[in-house]
């Protein structure tokens, strides 16, 4: 293969790569001639960022500097970063100017025999090894698709193998509706692929401003707890996210919140489960806690989040606020004066809002995947459960999405 078409990644410290006279760019050839680009990366985050900037049809290969004079710390660092595991079709070779027999012995000593190192190569042999195709080189698109045993079909969708292998995503975002709610989430995400699924449109990619933040996202077919529970469970089982985030809109407590305010749930509960007998209906509350260390971190950064939202709001002299508290979950749309005070605050005097899905999302996180996925409900007020104003919905959906974007961009979760 013509190596001037290959983007060559070098797994090494930048200091060592630039200063080592025996193992640097000069030993590999010239950038733009011998190779299309020569890119030094020190960890997986750097690799994934540079990798994300390449076009889908560009070829990629990696060499890993063994760090022989410091034992094989280059190899052990490479293994610990998990690059080979996440991208099994990313071709790579180990390089060093040291004694290859001693290096192989150290590989055995470090219990890294599963790497199947047949040879440690010299820097000046990298180009010829790739020209003669001793090592296979793939395009970015092929590496991404093959990373999860994926096969591309004629429509460009991604069809997964029977191994049930899916790309790991750190974050999943779910909305009750596609219109307004998911529409406001989409601008923050760069789509990479989608699951072939006749029922739900499930797409995955990364935060546009931070490629290392991997995200899967989907909207429900219908509002309500049943659809929310099904979709939440599907995303958790397939993608095993660290956080399942619900964005969207809700109705607020008329005494405590304003249109556009963001509510971050610390607790969610239902009010319409119970028992009816001759004495009437007796409620049986279902409760799920959303308190975890990440909520505490968000509370500490509330001032900065509010400042950001107010600065981003170009539609009015913004007074958006962020609240932390309980959200009630009901099975009907409420447009009735006095309903909140008579039915919600009697069960939880600190309740801030009500809607139709969050209990199901939170409960799915508690029960599926051994509870390893944390629920984060971030919804904004579109009405105060009486005298609804339809044009407030897009505004509330926007403030919810922007709050989530800020949280992700600033590594608050």
């Amino acid at each position: 293969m013509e190596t001037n078409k290959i983007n060559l990644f070098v797994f090494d410290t930048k200091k060592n790569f630039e200063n080592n006279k025996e193992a640097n760019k000069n030993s590999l050839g010239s950038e733009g001639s011998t190779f299309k680009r020569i890119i030094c990366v020190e960890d997986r985050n750097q690799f994934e960022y540079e990798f994300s900037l390449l076009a889908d049809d560009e070829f990629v290969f990696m060499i890993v500097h063994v760090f022989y004079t410091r034992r094989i710390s280059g190899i052990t660092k490479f293994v610990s970063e998990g690059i080979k595991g996440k991208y099994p079709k990313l071709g790579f070779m180990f390089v060093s100017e040291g004694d290859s027999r001693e290096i192989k012995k150290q590989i055995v000593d470090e219990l890294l025999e599963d790497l199947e190192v047949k040879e440690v190569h010299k820097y000046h042999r990298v180009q010829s090894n790739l020209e003669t195709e001793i090592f296979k080189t793939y395009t970015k698109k092929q590496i991404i698709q093959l990373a999860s045993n994926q096969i591309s079909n004629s429509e460009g969708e991604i069809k997964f193998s029977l191994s049930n292998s899916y790309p790991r995503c750190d974050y999943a975002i779910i909305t009750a509706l596609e219109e307004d709610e998911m529409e406001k989430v989409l601008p923050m995400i760069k789509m990479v692929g989608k699951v072939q699924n006749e029922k739900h449109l499930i797409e995955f990619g990364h935060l546009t401003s931070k490629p290392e933040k991997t995200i899967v996202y989907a909207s429900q077919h219908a509002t309500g707890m049943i659809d929310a529970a099904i979709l939440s469970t599907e995303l958790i089982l397939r993608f095993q996210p660290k956080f399942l985030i619900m964005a969207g809109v809700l109705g607020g407590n008329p005494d405590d919140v304003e249109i556009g305010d963001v509510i971050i749930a610390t607790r969610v509960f239902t009010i319409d489960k119970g028992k009816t007998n001759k004495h009437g209906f007796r409620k049986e509350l279902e409760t799920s806690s959303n308190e975890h260390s990440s909520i505490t971190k968000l509370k500490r950064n509330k001032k900065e989040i509010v400042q950001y939202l107010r600065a981003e709001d170009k539609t009015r002299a913004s007074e958006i606020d962020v609240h932390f508290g309980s959200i009630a979950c009901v099975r009907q749309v409420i447009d009735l004066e006095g309903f909140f005070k008579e039915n919600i605050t009697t069960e939880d005097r600190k309740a801030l809002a009500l809607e139709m899905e969050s209990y199901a999302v939170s409960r799915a996180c508690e029960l599926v995947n051994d509870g390893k996925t944390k629920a984060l409900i971030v919804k904004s007020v579109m009405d105060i459960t009486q005298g609804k104003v339809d044009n407030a919905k897009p505004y509330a959906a926007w403030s919810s999405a922007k709050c989530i974007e800020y949280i992700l961009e600033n590594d608050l979760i």
Side-chain angles (χ1 to χ4, degrees), residues 83-179:
I83 296 174
K84 179 179 182 292
K86 185 173 181 180
Y87 303 98
K89 289 301 178 182
L90 170 65
F92 70 94
M93 72 175 82
F94 294 123
V95 293
S96 175
E97 297 302 317
D99 185 334
S100 60
R101 289 173 298 180
E102 176 59 26
I103 292 171
K104 289 180 183 179
K105 178 181 180 301
Q106 291 181 21
I107 289 172
V108 173
D109 292 342
E110 296 287 343
L111 303 178
L112 296 172
E113 304 97 313
D114 59 327
L115 290 174
E116 298 179 358
V117 181
K118 296 179 180 179
E119 187 174 351
V120 178
H121 301 267
K122 304 297 184 183
Y123 275 78
H124 67 275
R125 295 292 300 170
V126 171
Q127 181 190 16
S128 60
N129 286 343
L130 292 173
E131 279 183 332
T132 55
E133 298 191 359
I134 294 175
F135 291 85
K136 180 68 176 176
T137 306
Y138 294 91
T139 65
K140 173 185 172 180
K141 182 177 181 180
Q142 290 171 323
I143 291 168
I144 291 173
Q145 290 177 341
L146 293 171
S148 294
N149 296 324
Q150 299 163 358
I151 304 170
S152 178
N153 68 18
S154 59
E155 296 178 354
E157 294 182 347
I158 293 178
K159 187 174 182 179
F160 290 88
S161 73
L162 295 178
S163 65
N164 291 323
S165 180
Y166 297 90
R168 286 289 298 272
C169 291
D170 291 330
Y171 308 94
I173 299 179
I174 180 175
T175 60
L177 297 170
E178 180 69 23
E179 186 178 2

Side-chain angles (χ1 to χ4, degrees), residues 322-354:
V322 175
H323 308 268
F324 296 85
S326 300
I327 294 176
C329 214
V330 298
R331 291 171 173 84
Q332 64 269 355
V333 176
I334 307 299
D335 187 3
L336 182 64
E337 186 174 355
F339 181 90
F340 204 100
K341 183 175 292 186
E342 295 171 9
N343 295 274
I344 307 300
T345 55
T346 53
E347 304 300 335
D348 184 342
R349 63 183 179 84
K350 294 184 178 180
L352 295 173
L354 62 81

Side-chain angles (χ1 to χ4, degrees), residues 144 156-158 190-195 202-205 217:
I144 291 173
E157 294 182 347
I158 293 178
K190 169 69 175 177
M191 188 190 77
V192 173
K194 56 185 173 180
V195 177
I202 300 175
E203 298 175 321
F204 56 88
Y217 51 100

Side-chain angles (χ1 to χ4, degrees), residues 251-266:
N253 183 341
D255 294 333
D256 295 327
V257 300
E258 302 292 340
I259 302 297
D261 282 2
V262 179
I263 313 295
I264 299 178
T266 57

Side-chain angles (χ1 to χ4, degrees), residues 194-254:
K194 56 185 173 180
V195 177
Q196 188 182 39
N197 188 313
E198 296 298 327
K199 299 300 181 182
H200 290 114
L201 175 59
I202 300 175
E203 298 175 321
F204 56 88
H206 58 76
L207 194 66
T208 302
S209 58
K210 281 197 167 185
E212 67 272 18
K213 298 274 189 179
T214 52
I215 303 171
V216 57
Y217 51 100
S219 59
Q220 299 171 207
H221 279 298
T223 58
M225 281 188 273
I226 292 177
D227 277 59
I230 291 170
L231 183 56
S232 295
T233 300
E234 184 172 15
L235 295 182
I236 293 171
L237 289 176
R238 289 188 181 211
F239 297 91
Q240 301 176 50
K242 296 177 183 176
F243 290 90
L244 176 56
I245 306 168
M246 185 161 216
V249 301
L250 40 58
N253 183 341

